[in-house]
Amino acid sequence: MTISKKVANILIDKEAVILRPNDPFTWASGIKSPIYCDNRQLLAYPEERHYVAQALAKKIAKYYPNATLIAGTATAGIPHAAWVADILGLPMVYVRSQAKDHGRKSQIEGVISATDNVVLIDDLISTGGSVLKAADAVNQVASVVGVVAIFTYELQAAHDNFEAAKIPLHILTNFSELLEIAEASNYVTDSELEMIKEWRQNDFK
């Protein structure tokens, strides 16, 4: 089994991803969706979270060998960034959605310098808006060389946003791989699968 399919299987098995076509979720963006991803579920499973962290570390070693600093997006990306930084033996920071209004008024927590080549880690990519906002903050003080994440819904908006930002993105697994695993494992019925595929065809353009 490929790493991509293994991660997809983990997400389904540990209910980090839930498919519910008959009772769709409402995303923060207002989109009605038969799929919901909450990778915080992985925190409860040491073996699986370690596998995911190792896979993220391999992506970084392959695509961003010049990385000098790992950054996690607050809050969901923070634990994964910490584990990956430990595996790679690199320092780590995390990036808030906005600067604090007290104390040092920091948006980036930790030690970062102008010479750092930073890889941002997020748990999930929908449109990419939050992690690209974090990248903008990091680029004010250092250089973002790329983003890695566990899962993507494969929205066209994410592709367009990363292309516009000129920031490379690498993902462990995606919506298409997850559907293949869901079908093979009978996680959803044939009719539910058709509903999800129809939604995907209509909304993922």
Side-chain angles (χ1 to χ4, degrees):
M1 184 179 287
T2 64
I3 290 175
S4 180
K5 283 186 167 56
K6 172 71 172 178
V7 173
N9 190 69
I10 287 172
L11 297 184
I12 289 176
D13 185 55
K14 300 308 178 187
E15 296 186 339
V17 168
I18 299 173
L19 297 172
R20 204 171 69 187
N22 291 309
D23 184 18
F25 300 92
T26 302
W27 292 352
S29 61
I31 294 174
K32 295 286 187 181
S33 168
I35 180 172
Y36 186 74
C37 180
D38 180 9
N39 287 323
R40 294 173 181 84
Q41 294 291 112
L42 297 178
L43 306 185
Y45 304 100
E47 182 178 345
E48 287 79 7
R49 78 189 189 206
H50 180 70
Y51 182 89
V52 168
Q54 290 279 3
L56 289 169
K58 287 176 183 176
K59 285 278 188 189
I60 292 169
K62 179 178 180 180
Y63 294 105
Y64 312 115
N66 62 331
T68 61
L69 181 68
I70 303 299
T73 56
T75 57
I78 293 174
H80 302 289
W83 293 320
V84 169
D86 192 54
I87 291 167
L88 295 174
L90 291 174
M92 177 226 162
V93 299
Y94 71 87
V95 188
R96 298 177 182 274
S97 58
Q98 58 187 20
K100 292 190 297 184
D101 60 2
H102 60 280
R104 299 171 70 177
K105 299 185 177 180
S106 302
Q107 183 170 4
I108 301 170
E109 298 289 1
V111 179
I112 186 170
S113 70
T115 58
D116 275 319
N117 294 319
V118 183
V119 174
L120 272 160
I121 292 181
D122 206 351
D123 71 322
L124 166 69
I125 301 295
S126 51
T127 65
S130 60
V131 72
L132 288 173
K133 183 179 177 182
D136 286 341
V138 173
N139 275 328
Q140 299 299 312
V141 292
S143 298
V144 174
V145 295
V147 172
V148 295
I150 299 170
F151 180 76
T152 178
Y153 292 118
E154 295 183 290
L155 290 171
Q156 183 62 42
H159 176 272
D160 294 344
N161 289 338
F162 275 91
E163 191 171 75
K166 295 182 170 56
I167 294 178
L169 169 66
H170 292 280
I171 305 290
L172 294 189
T173 195
N174 56 44
F175 190 94
S176 300
E177 294 274 21
L178 189 120
L179 276 192
E180 287 184 25
I181 294 294
E183 183 174 16
S185 63
N186 296 316
Y187 177 79
V188 290
T189 65
D190 290 344
S191 62
E192 287 174 333
L193 187 65
E194 286 307 311
M195 289 172 67
I196 295 168
K197 287 181 176 178
E198 183 178 354
W199 175 83
R200 185 181 191 276
Q201 186 175 27
N202 290 335
D203 288 80
F204 281 32
K205 295 178 180 178

